[in-house]
Amino acid sequence: MTLATILAPLLALCIVARGIGFLPALGVTTAAAMLVEGLEPLQQVGAGLAVAFAVGPVWFLSFYQQDSAREHGGPAIPFLALGLMVVLMLASTRPGLPSFPAGLCVLLAGLVAVTCRQSMVWQWAGLLTCVQGVLLAGVLQHQVMVVGAATLAGVLIALLGGLCVHRLRPRIAVVRASGKQEARKRAKGHPKEPTSKLGTASGAPSPDYVPKPPRQFDQEADEP
Amino acid sequence: MTFPVCLAALAFVWPLLGAALVMSLNTPRSRDVAVWMAGIGCALAVAVFLFPATGAAGWDDDPVQRAGRVMLAFGLLLSVLESATIPNRLLRGLPHISTALAGLACVTPDPIVGLGILEASLAYGVFVFSRPAGQAMAGWALLRTGSVGIFLVLAGLLLPAGQPPSGLMLACGIVMLAGLTPFGQPWREENDTLLFLPFAGAALLLAMRLRPHGGEAFETALMAAGLASVWLTACAGRSDNGKHMRLFRTFPSALALIAVGAKADVAALLFLSGWCLAGGSRSERLWAARALACFPPGAPFVGCLLLLSVMSDWSWFFTVLTIAGILCAIVRTVPVQEGAALFWPHDAAGRVACTVLIVTGFLVPLAMMLGAF
């Protein structure tokens, strides 16, 4: 048992509690936990895959707008994951053999995030956490087939999740470009001709909620 | 390489060839070609069952698994016969590809590889289903639930064999992969015959192979989940108002999971044939509802008798509970109309399904007596 194998479940709990932002740290820690065990090809390939599955989706998400939807019933979910981890550790402990199933604890945390969170990106983070956990368990137990199946699952989940994000989220570049276009028009002295309710160009996404101006209330208050 | 090995390899590759051919052809001709390719695939699967590839070391050669693959091939034939001409090329090839991948997942020497193949099948199906506008989140829900099932099974396989945590995780994963109501996938009518039937069939066949690793906890958990689903179906209400048929869709897979838990593999095979030929969205038709509700003659009826005979040796309490659940489900779910359409359908696909179900119901006990299983 190394420090990295202890840190990995804690970072997985952070993903359950706070979201996909902790996924790169989990990937790096998982890779460190694999490489500390040895430098054989299986460990090196597993570490590379863990970092790729952790950094790639977060880098991809940086091109898209963040989800502003609120989660319901959030505070108890990390404790559920923690409780399941404790139950797993108690169930898998054998007398005389100290064991800490770090990979399976990470996998359990990911499963809790997938099933209990409503946001699609959070669920995607949970599935990628599951992939990290299976990779870690497969490398620590020297099971090549498990690493292969986890790699296939990770590639498919990363691709389909990325496709889903691409279809659901507006890209930041579109919003920035439309904002620059608007600023250029103002600088040239063109009159403001808003194409949407927020005054952005037609390429920019329009949010579902548009705050109404408080002018009506003032008029109503002025009326006798 | 011997003739049976060539035959087995051809039987596995054939649905993929069929998918490539169907996707490459124009729309009007594709349905006829698909029916022919699926029919030849059925003949190949039957040939593989009769001439097993004993020379291929490591690959699974269990007769129940081979017979299960025959049922998957007949399920593909029925899907093709039922569907009209599909203009979308990817959707047209989907049942062929999902059946091919399901067969490959069942035959791999290591169940972990089979799980990887199932994930690939699920991902391809989700990609095809979620391509139209507005279907992204529905596709994501399918991928999420299926992946959770696969990761649960993987976690069970990574734990020490025979321990209760391993068995419980394996059982939870298999129940989710089999789509058992109310624990399983949010499947809809338009996708369950094309993707879900072979996918859940492969999960049922994989469950038989996971039994040595899962131990007693796995078997007990499977029986408990199957009984819970049967009793939920029984308590849901009558199908006259059309509200509760969703629970009845997975009735044969619930009975198949009980059979797997009771170590009655032949009964599970018979329920699997009912699932592949009359399950899913087909269960809303009258003849399919009667077949699934274990009315004679048919494979599920024979499977029910075999299951009860095996269960009575194991536990009288569970036997009575199962009989009562099945009877309540039959009384409350099967439609009460009478007529010839109850027994013999008018369409070609329904006739093929009824014929295969009746022939399977007669042949499997005969083969059991002759020692084939």
Side-chain angles (χ1 to χ4, degrees):
Chain A
M1 191 193 307
T2 60
L3 181 63
T5 53
I6 298 171
L7 277 178
L10 292 178
L11 286 169
L13 278 178
C14 291
I15 290 176
V16 178
R18 301 303 298 172
I20 199 169
F22 283 90
L23 191 61
L26 173 66
V28 172
T29 312
T30 307
M34 291 174 188
L35 292 176
V36 164
E37 294 289 325
L39 289 174
E40 294 172 12
L42 180 66
Q43 277 105 350
Q44 291 177 357
V45 170
L49 288 169
V51 173
F53 287 141
V55 176
V58 177
W59 174 74
F60 177 77
L61 270 177
S62 67
F63 294 103
Y64 292 87
Q65 282 188 351
Q66 287 188 354
D67 193 2
S68 58
R70 290 285 181 91
E71 290 277 334
H72 300 289
I77 294 172
F79 294 100
L80 172 67
L82 184 63
L84 285 174
M85 283 183 188
V86 172
V87 169
L88 177 70
M89 279 190 287
L90 290 177
S92 61
T93 303
R94 292 178 180 176
L97 287 174
S99 65
F100 178 61
L104 291 177
C105 287
V106 174
L107 174 64
L108 270 184
L111 287 176
V112 170
V114 174
T115 49
C116 296
R117 295 296 185 186
Q118 289 100 34
S119 163
M120 181 258 148
V121 173
W122 217 326
Q123 292 169 357
W124 193 30
L127 282 181
L128 291 168
T129 308
C130 291
V131 172
Q132 301 279 339
V134 176
L135 274 177
L136 181 59
V139 168
L140 292 184
Q141 296 184 11
H142 298 282
Q143 293 198 21
V144 183
M145 292 296 179
V146 174
V147 175
T151 305
L152 180 63
V155 169
L156 294 173
I157 287 169
L159 285 179
L160 286 175
L163 199 64
C164 196
V165 167
H166 179 71
R167 292 176 63 181
L168 292 175
R169 295 284 187 86
R171 290 192 69 177
I172 288 179
V174 176
V175 181
R176 281 179 184 164
S178 61
K180 284 178 183 174
Q181 197 177 355
E182 190 72 22
R184 212 174 292 137
K185 278 183 184 177
R186 282 179 192 171
K188 285 180 181 176
H190 289 294
K192 189 178 180 182
E193 294 175 357
T195 52
S196 68
K197 290 178 180 177
L198 279 183
T200 55
S202 58
S206 58
D208 293 328
Y209 173 69
V210 179
K212 291 180 181 176
R215 210 176 296 160
Q216 293 177 357
F217 297 104
D218 297 336
Q219 288 173 359
E220 285 172 7
D222 292 337
E223 284 175 7
Chain B
M1 189 180 287
T2 59
F3 172 70
V5 176
C6 286
L7 203 62
L10 188 61
F12 290 125
V13 174
W14 192 261
L16 292 175
L17 282 176
L21 199 61
V22 166
M23 288 161 73
S24 64
L25 284 176
N26 293 325
T27 304
R29 288 182 58 203
S30 62
R31 185 179 178 276
D32 297 334
V33 174
V35 170
W36 274 103
M37 295 299 281
I40 296 172
C42 290
L44 280 172
V46 172
V48 170
F49 175 73
L50 294 175
F51 307 104
T54 50
W59 292 78
D60 189 47
D61 196 32
D62 187 22
V64 176
Q65 297 278 331
R66 273 186 278 133
R69 292 198 291 275
V70 174
M71 291 304 136
L72 291 181
F74 273 105
L76 170 63
L77 176 63
L78 274 188
S79 299
V80 174
L81 275 175
E82 274 180 342
S83 60
T85 306
I86 305 173
N88 188 349
R89 288 177 189 271
L90 290 177
L91 198 60
R92 210 187 294 157
L94 175 62
H96 299 267
I97 291 178
S98 57
T99 306
L101 292 180
L104 270 178
C106 298
V107 83
T108 49
D110 196 344
I112 294 171
V113 182
L115 287 172
I117 294 173
L118 274 186
E119 176 79 23
S121 165
L122 178 72
Y124 181 74
V126 165
F127 172 70
V128 173
F129 282 129
S130 62
R131 280 182 77 233
Q135 297 293 316
M137 279 312 286
W140 175 253
L142 290 180
L143 180 75
R144 181 172 72 101
T145 321
S147 300
V148 166
I150 286 172
F151 281 125
L152 275 171
V153 177
L154 272 176
L157 287 171
L158 284 167
L159 283 166
Q163 299 289 322
S166 162
L168 286 176
M169 282 203 170
L170 283 175
C172 291
I174 287 293
V175 163
M176 291 195 77
L177 289 180
L180 200 67
T181 9
F183 314 106
Q185 297 261 19
W187 302 98
R188 293 163 300 165
E189 285 187 18
E190 60 266 27
N191 63 14
D192 63 355
T193 48
L194 298 180
L195 171 66
F196 184 36
L197 283 180
F199 186 84
L204 291 174
L205 288 173
L206 266 181
M208 298 181 202
R209 298 178 55 195
L210 294 175
R211 214 167 32 206
H213 192 277
E216 197 174 341
F218 177 62
E219 297 162 4
T220 312
L222 279 188
M223 290 184 70
L227 269 177
S229 182
V230 166
W231 271 99
L232 276 174
T233 309
C235 297
R238 296 197 66 84
S239 65
D240 295 343
N241 51 10
K243 286 180 182 174
H244 302 291
M245 285 304 285
R246 193 174 60 86
L247 285 170
F248 190 62
R249 283 185 180 189
T250 55
F251 189 65
S253 54
L255 292 175
L257 285 181
I258 295 176
V260 172
K263 297 182 184 174
D265 283 353
V266 182
L269 168 69
L270 290 166
F271 290 126
L272 174 69
S273 66
W275 166 252
C276 288
L277 297 170
S281 59
R282 295 180 195 129
S283 59
E284 294 175 3
R285 302 179 191 179
L286 296 176
W287 62 268
R290 281 182 63 88
L292 292 185
C294 305
F295 276 79
F301 169 68
V302 184
C304 192
L305 294 181
L306 279 175
L307 170 66
L308 294 178
S309 66
V310 172
M311 280 187 79
S312 61
D313 295 338
W314 181 63
S315 164
W316 271 105
F317 176 70
F318 276 104
T319 310
V320 172
L321 212 58
T322 310
I323 292 173
I326 291 173
L327 287 178
C328 286
I330 291 172
V331 169
R332 294 179 66 85
T333 312
V334 177
V336 291
Q337 290 97 338
E338 292 180 356
L342 278 175
F343 304 101
W344 195 245
H346 297 299
D347 57 324
R351 286 175 187 164
V352 170
C354 279
T355 309
V356 175
L357 278 175
I358 293 169
V359 169
T360 309
F362 278 112
L363 281 185
V364 168
L366 194 66
M368 258 185 92
M369 282 188 281
L370 293 175
F373 292 111

